[in-house]
Amino acid sequence: MIAIGSDHAGYGLKCEIIKHLEEKGVEFVDCGCNGESVDYPDIAEKTCEKVTSGEAEKAILICGTGVGISISANKIKGIRAALCGDWYSAKYTRLHNDANVLCMGGRVIGAGLAAEITDIFLETEFEGGRHARRVEKIMKLEEK
Ligand code: RB5
């Protein structure tokens, strides 16, 4: 199960990604918005809650740039959100950072690239090993 959310600026791309997830048969829960003007921290909170509660395995968040919503998501305990605008970053943030939230900019990338980024993010497993130690250190920073 994947949680997905966007603000108004990311809504168009979110609709495209939802279409893509449906075509691929990926189960998802849509945490808003529905096109109306909203504040991206509220959407980040609502969507990431699905991950921290265990209801969703990962989440996808979209705002205009992807920046505001990723900053917001990374304030939430247990969330490792990665803003990706390319395939390589999406792959390696799963392999090396065990990112559990993918953020994208609806005003930055097109639907085709966003769908490819989504696929690689959802399909790539964390590599573990020396990267597990580093991810543990990231999570310890939450205590600062
Ligand atoms: C909304 O206008 C815009 O500020 C937001 O979507 C995002 O780009 C913020 O980082």
Side-chain angles (χ1 to χ4, degrees):
M1 167 73 92
I2 302 302
I4 185 164
S6 77
D7 72 354
H8 48 286
Y11 180 68
L13 184 58
K14 185 183 73 169
C15 292
E16 297 288 345
I17 295 301
I18 283 178
K19 228 186 291 167
H20 181 70
L21 295 176
E22 283 170 343
E23 278 164 18
K24 295 207 88 173
V26 176
E27 233 191 305
F28 65 89
V29 55
D30 185 357
C31 301
C33 74
N34 295 310
E36 74 284 12
S37 181
V38 292
D39 296 335
Y40 54 82
D42 297 335
I43 296 291
E45 184 179 12
K46 191 174 167 197
T47 310
C48 289
E49 203 275 326
K50 302 283 182 197
V51 176
T52 54
S53 69
E55 197 182 321
E57 190 195 328
K58 295 188 186 83
I60 299 168
L61 287 173
I62 306 168
C63 69
T65 58
V67 175
I69 211 154
S70 61
I71 291 172
S72 306
N74 275 316
K75 299 282 179 195
I76 299 168
K77 209 174 161 84
I79 295 299
R80 290 178 300 282
L83 171 56
C84 297
D86 66 276
W87 191 90
Y88 186 89
S89 301
K91 178 174 176 176
Y92 278 88
T93 197
R94 285 290 309 129
L95 284 171
H96 290 186
N97 315 132
D98 198 15
N100 51 13
V101 178
L102 168 65
C103 302
M104 294 184 285
R107 292 173 175 164
V108 180
I109 58 171
L113 176 57
E116 292 271 326
I117 288 172
T118 297
D119 287 348
I120 195 73
F121 184 84
L122 297 183
E123 288 161 15
T124 305
E125 293 297 331
F126 178 48
E127 205 173 276
R130 67 187 186 283
H131 302 295
R133 181 182 71 242
R134 293 164 187 165
V135 171
E136 274 165 32
K137 287 187 178 183
I138 293 175
M139 302 325 283
K140 273 203 140 186
L141 292 174
E142 288 178 339
E143 292 155 26
K144 295 263 170 204

